[in-house]
Amino acid sequence: MPYEPVIGLEVHIEMQTQSKMFCACPVVDSVSAPPNTAVCPVCAGHPGTLPVVNEKAVEYALRVALALECTVNPVSIFARKNYFYPDIPKGYQISQYEQPLAEYGRICLQISQGEKVIRIRRAHLEEDTGKLTHVEPAGAAQPYSLVDLNRAGVPLLEIVTEADFRSAEEVRVYAMALRALVRALGVNSGDMEKGVMRIEPNISIRPIGQEAFGTKVEIKNLNSFRALERGVAYEIKRHEQVLTSGGAIAQETVGWDDAAQATYSQRSKEDAHDYRYFPEPDLPPLRVSAEWVERVKAALPELPIARAKRYQRDFGLSATESTFLAEEAALGEYFERVTEAGPIAARSAFAWVTGELLGLVNTSNGGFESIKVLPQDLAALLIMVTEGKINQATAKTVLTEMFASGRKAAEIVEAGGLVQVSDGDLIAQLVAETLAENPGEVASYRAGKLTVANFLFGQVMRKAGGKANPQVVRTVLEQQLG
Ligand code: ADP
Ligand code: MG
Ligand code: ZN
């Protein structure tokens, strides 16, 4: 029986404000900050302390909710989610349950078959938990766990979708779009390896044509897009195998083991009643005025999806190319500045920015924001290519030099004597010399081995120090060989 996957996502995104959700502790980097250095009696859960809502965290959450076209509830309620575990010193997590901050949103994704709308069920505010590190010493020593409360109380937005995904690809595209969105909104760095954005897919399958959902499994510990896509694909396949062989899926939470490229059972899933939710008595209802919503909405920047649409429309780039540029704001900005700096074909700007230049950036330490080659410098280089001053191969060498030293293209070309040789007489002379030096190759070309022309082309270019105009060389070569 053919099955189809049904998937819904829960994504936790830290709102990277200056201070925590309910106290004045700073939000610090989870990797570099020494453990337990950003903790106070409130986030350590001491008795008698009281939480105070961080207004900036609410504003950040509103940005995301509005960008996802959610309806913001004028009143939302904080609730206690009770559970006993060392990562939560109070014994409960302050979250939102029955009345979340926002509901009923949507996001329109660009997938390989076209557009796909995913409905957002809800987005609610809560506090992050502390971080536990489980240590298993070698030998006879007992395993133990380290508790770091720096993360406890960091504002967290949980975004829950409807079960609208039908493939692992859709899940990955959504996760990437959401990451680009929160980065564009300035609320999160998007550093998945640091755990500031955590994605938990719920997966089930059902026979095609059946309305009712099957039993779902939730995957945790997915800390990259690759792991996410693989983990989802793995579970879909496992469900198919279990069901086709007459078995049943147990509702549970599984973890992703990246080394084994497989999931493993973690625990059977709790139900909501296990958490004994009740309204947080220490916090009043959260009121968000219509005026505040309007203010946040008006201040939203251009969002990646809209930006990608604009690139498609204005520059004739494909959906995939546009999305690639738009999801990395610095890259998109740079590309736009290049096209504005002179008469440069968008296609050529795209190819150089996302090809050669991005390649150089990726092998260097810094990011795109801090490179020495300004957009107008790349534009000047590309214009030299269009005008025939230098050829493509020379341009690549020059760009590498520009990237390393920050010198301008014209300067490097001049100093290196790299101006393209298009002079027909000179090229004719180089070709003649080359043919005279390679009589064997010439003979085999004339005997019908046409690929030898490529070798001879290379020899002529070498003689010209790589600077000859390749079109002219090809033409002259064909004439003299023919
Ligand atoms: P839970 O209470 O277990 O967290 P929810 O009903 O809140 O479950 O749903 C969590 C996520 O799982 C949502 O994104 C929802 O769309 C998705 N979901 C719910 N049931 C299923 C199912 N049977 N198969 C796949 N996804 C599901
Ligand atoms: Mg859940
Ligand atoms: Zn604190």
Side-chain angles (χ1 to χ4, degrees), residues 133-160:
T133 307
H134 304 292
V135 186
E136 284 180 36
Q142 288 291 314
Y144 58 92
S145 295
L146 298 168
V147 181
D148 178 7
L149 295 182
N150 283 349
R151 205 181 67 180
V154 168
L156 205 57
L157 187 68
E158 177 170 349
I159 301 169
V160 184

Side-chain angles (χ1 to χ4, degrees), residues 426-473:
L426 180 55
I427 290 178
Q429 190 189 323
L430 296 177
V431 170
E433 279 172 25
T434 305
L435 298 193
E437 286 160 14
N438 297 280
E441 277 73 16
V442 174
S444 64
Y445 176 87
R446 291 190 175 135
K449 201 170 170 219
L450 300 182
T451 49
V452 172
N454 291 329
F455 166 77
L456 293 168
F457 172 82
Q459 292 305 104
V460 177
M461 288 303 279
R462 205 152 113 190
K463 255 185 200 299
K467 295 178 295 189
N469 179 324
Q471 272 95 28
V472 179
V473 172

Side-chain angles (χ1 to χ4, degrees), residues 20 23 25 39-40 43:
K20 291 187 181 179
C23 64
C25 287
V39 187
C40 75
C43 55

Side-chain angles (χ1 to χ4, degrees), residues 6-10 121 158 160-164 200-205 213-218 251 269-272:
V6 172
I7 306 157
L9 258 59
E10 294 163 283
R121 181 188 291 177
E158 177 170 349
V160 184
T161 73
E162 293 298 338
D164 286 342
E200 282 142 22
N202 292 266
I203 298 148
S204 64
I205 63 170
F213 291 167
T215 304
K216 74 179 158 81
V217 165
E218 179 172 343
Q251 178 164 331
K269 177 84 186 154
E270 305 82 359
D271 281 319

